Amino acid sequence: MGGLLSSLPPLEASMTSPFSVLVCTLCWELLYQTLGLFFQLAAPRLVLRSHSKGYSSMANHGHSYACALIHAVVVTARGLQHLAGLVGAPAEVQMMSPMGPGEPGYELAHPTQLTNLLFFSWLCYDICHIISWYPQLGGADTVAHHVGVAIV
């Protein structure tokens, strides 16, 4: 087993690779699909049957909202942790993302790479959903917004 693990790329390299983005994007899709099953089964218990629009909305779209909420909470919490950790750091450490161990501020700034991966891969996942449901989930402006944020 040690041979297999030692053949993997270093964490620094793997978090910024296209393969990592793909894997993380697929993880968001897996979460979305899993939540979809949950909401299909749970909607009758979570929403009063007399509220027909709430029932169908929960069953059909609840997993999308839940996935977006989970993403927002995780990325926001990680961002706040980064801010708290970097608040007392020198300005040069606050403004850079060191790529290798031993560089000044590596321990403080390195975890931002995972947060960036989580954010960027969710944008990729969301763009795929917007395009596959086009124009029900949004028009060209929504696609342009997501692509613009991903590029910046």
Side-chain angles (χ1 to χ4, degrees):
M1 183 78 169
L4 176 64
L5 292 178
S6 63
S7 67
L8 294 174
L11 188 58
E12 295 81 19
S14 67
M15 282 199 295
T16 56
S17 73
F19 180 73
S20 295
V21 173
L22 175 64
V23 168
C24 204
T25 301
L26 291 174
C27 287
W28 286 117
E29 180 64 23
L30 178 63
L31 176 63
Y32 171 81
Q33 295 297 333
T34 303
L35 289 168
L37 290 173
F38 169 77
F39 278 96
Q40 285 292 324
L41 297 171
R45 293 179 181 91
L46 295 174
V47 179
L48 296 174
R49 287 221 179 256
S50 60
H51 194 292
S52 61
K53 186 175 180 182
Y55 171 78
S56 64
S57 182
M58 175 76 75
N60 295 329
H61 305 293
H63 57 303
S64 181
Y65 297 130
C67 193
L69 176 66
I70 290 168
H71 169 263
V73 168
V74 168
V75 171
T76 299
R78 289 186 61 87
L80 291 173
Q81 287 175 335
H82 301 322
L83 283 173
L86 290 168
V87 75
E92 57 273 3
V93 171
Q94 292 178 1
M95 301 306 289
M96 65 183 238
S97 181
M99 298 306 289
E103 291 188 41
Y106 173 80
E107 296 80 18
L108 293 172
H110 177 69
T112 61
Q113 290 181 357
L114 177 57
T115 305
N116 293 341
L117 174 63
L118 292 171
F119 180 74
F120 183 73
S121 63
W122 188 82
L123 279 175
C124 293
Y125 145 86
D126 207 36
I127 289 170
C128 290
H129 277 253
I130 291 167
I131 291 171
S132 67
W133 285 90
Y134 188 85
Q136 290 90 351
L137 288 180
D141 60 327
T142 306
V143 175
H145 165 78
H146 279 69
V147 170
V149 170
I151 290 171
V152 173

